[in-house]
Every structure is written in C-alpha cells, then in structure tokens.
Amino acid sequence: MALADRSFARRRLLTTAAAVGGATLLGGTAHAAERREKAWPDRFPLPAGFQPEGIAIGSAPYAYFGSLADGSLYRASLATGRGSVISRGPGAGHPSVGLKIDGHGRLFVSGGAGGDLRTVDSRTGRIERTYAVGGSFVNDVILTPRAAWFTDSFAPRLYRLALDGHGRPGAVTTVPLSGDWQQGPDFTANGIERTPDGGALMVVNVFVGGGTLMRVDPATGAASAVDLGGALLPNGDGLLLLGRTLYVVQQQQNAIDVFRLNAAGTKGRALTRITDPRFRIPTTAAAWGDRLYLPNARFDVEPTPDTDYDAVAVSQV
C-alpha cells in the first residue's frame, strides 16, 4: 500500500472510530437523561389553598400553574418538585385559568371571570399587560405563530391576541363562533388546540350532543363537529396535541381520553383512556419528555386556605 493510501486508510479508521465513539457517547447521554427523568417525582405538592387550574411547560423543565384564588402564578421544578410563587396575582375575582408559555418566556394567561387576558414575564413575574375584553369567563388559550387564541365559556366567541414576527403581543379582536356551534344556557366552551396541520383550531363544546369537539376556521369562526366515532366529551377540559395524538382531560371523570386525528382535524378515533388513582379532578395537561403533567383542581371540595393541592405525572401513550 502506498503512503498516501495508508494515510487515507488511517484517517478513515480514525473518523469511523470517532463516529462510533460519538454515537456511543450520545446514546449514553440520552440513556442517562432518560434514567434521570424517570427518577424525577411523579407527584408533587402545590401551595395550600392555591386552587390550581392551568399548567404550562416551555423549553425548560419547569411547570407553571395558575391560581383560581387570586391569579398568582407558581413555578415548580420538574426535577425536584419544589417551587415558589413567581407572580402575585391581581387578587380575588381575577383568577389565572388557562396558561401557555412561548419561546421568549412570556406567559399568556386567561383571566376567567375577571373578563381579561394577561401577558406575564416568566423570569420576573411582572404582569406586562392586561387586556380587558369584557369576557364572561375567559377560559383557555393556545398559541399559533401569529396569534394567541382564548375561549369564552359563556359567550359564542374567541379572542384573538395578535402576535408580530417576534412574538410580541398587539391588539385583541373578537371572532364570533357560528356554523355548528351552539351556545348552551351555561358553561359551554372549554379547552382549545390547533389541528395537526395547523390550519384550524379545535374547541371543546360541552353542550352540543353531550360534549363535542369542534373544528373552528380561525378566519371566519365557522365551527363544524369533529367526527370522533361517537365518543363524547361531557367533561372535556384541557386539550393537548402531540403530533396527531390528542389528549382530552375529562375532569369530573378523572380521566384523559386519547384520540388519533387526521391531519386536518376533521376526524379522529379513540385510542385509549388514561386513569390514575392519584387523579383528583385534573383540569388540563402539559408535556415534558415522555410524561404528561396535570394539576389536580379538586373541584369536588369546598376550597379553603388550607386545602391541599398537587400535580401528578403519567406516561404518554
């Protein structure tokens, strides 16, 4: 073998060895991370009397929870379960219900019976801006590339908070719901998500047909019922879409119903139901790793300043 050939062969051997070693290292790192996360708590306490409802998890392993009692926000480490209140709320009558966090660390908060929506800096806890929309009960929120969308449980409408190309909030507009949407005499709209292809929104309507998932055109507000093969969502609350798998938290049933959707979100089939003895009326879910994290709202007990609350984790499907 010529010197040049030997040199090339040696370089190729070294490159191959490095690649194999790198793959082994990466694989070992991944397995170590997986083992570490499996050791993280699958249940941890929230402050007594907090009355949790919403949850948001961003790009770091921290969960944010909103308080129905006074609108405060609590952040907990998923690694340890320990946390603290990072933002004092506006007070009684101004709860924090649905939550989402964007890539800039900004929390979008549904203000419930306070009739508003808020943005909060998750690093400082400062309320950046409050939008008074006059809503009856601003319930849940989902983020899309150009807007944050909020449901109103007592009125047939959505609120659209415009976002610019850098995710900065702008003006709020109201989008009336029409088509198959029927507003019940009481609580009607609940959780909201995007369709898998991102072309429309999905909203739980607990009134129509005993509980129906609606696909909503964001441009017009026209709603059509999603075919879930006869499955009902009478207690449908928070929605979480991972790929084409939709998790629907059915709070009073202490269950998560799981569906596989088509890309357009017009049809889905039931996959399974997740139950757990630790569920105490969970309201919604957020994901980290291969887990779902849910706050237990305990709507079946009269809240007091001493009522205990917690969050639990279950495996994804």
Side-chain angles (χ1 to χ4, degrees), residues 23 37 54-55 64-65 67 70 78 98 101 105 138 140 146 181 187 223 231 234 238 255-256 290 295 301-302:
E37 291 184 12
I55 182 174
Y64 297 83
F65 301 88
S67 169
D70 65 0
L78 300 181
I101 188 169
V138 185
D140 203 4
R146 299 310 298 266
W181 190 271
F187 195 97
I256 308 169
D290 62 356
V301 301
E302 185 69 26

Side-chain angles (χ1 to χ4, degrees), residues 94-311:
H94 295 276
S96 292
V97 192
L99 297 178
K100 288 295 182 294
I101 188 169
D102 67 10
H104 305 282
R106 178 179 291 112
L107 285 158
F108 294 78
V109 184
S110 303
D116 60 27
L117 41 114
R118 302 186 293 275
T119 59
V120 179
D121 186 329
S122 67
R123 293 172 288 266
T124 65
R126 180 178 65 88
I127 298 176
E128 297 177 332
R129 188 169 177 183
T130 298
Y131 299 81
V133 296
S136 304
F137 191 92
V138 185
N139 191 323
D140 203 4
V141 56
I142 188 65
L143 301 180
T144 67
R146 299 310 298 266
W149 292 86
F150 298 78
T151 59
D152 190 323
S153 294
F154 290 102
R157 60 195 176 203
L158 301 177
Y159 304 106
R160 181 186 187 273
L161 174 59
L163 305 176
D164 68 14
H166 300 282
R168 292 182 294 244
V172 176
T173 54
T174 299
V175 179
L177 294 168
S178 59
D180 290 345
W181 190 271
Q182 297 176 41
Q183 187 68 25
D186 203 335
F187 195 97
T188 301
N190 208 324
I192 185 170
E193 251 291 1
R194 298 176 70 192
T195 55
D197 64 6
L201 303 169
M202 297 181 293
V203 180
V204 174
N205 184 312
V206 298
F207 172 72
V208 172
T212 300
L213 184 65
M214 293 285 184
R215 183 183 186 276
V216 178
D217 183 333
T220 66
S224 56
V226 178
D227 178 6
L228 294 180
L232 299 180
L233 308 176
N235 304 121
D237 197 336
L239 303 177
L240 176 63
L241 183 71
L242 300 177
R244 285 169 54 182
T245 302
L246 179 68
Y247 296 87
V248 183
V249 181
Q250 297 243 54
Q251 44 159 284
Q252 297 287 343
Q253 299 181 31
N254 284 315
I256 308 169
D257 286 335
V258 189
F259 300 90
R260 177 72 172 177
L261 301 180
N262 63 1
T266 59
K267 188 175 182 178
R269 60 182 177 86
L271 295 180
T272 189
R273 165 170 278 199
I274 300 172
T275 59
D276 193 287
R278 299 168 301 156
F279 285 171
R280 297 190 293 175
I281 309 189
T283 46
T284 190
W288 181 268
D290 62 356
R291 288 178 170 182
L292 304 176
Y293 289 84
L294 305 93
N296 276 319
R298 304 198 66 191
F299 288 152
D300 56 342
V301 301
E302 185 69 26
T304 73
D306 298 320
T307 302
D308 70 285
Y309 294 99
D310 62 0

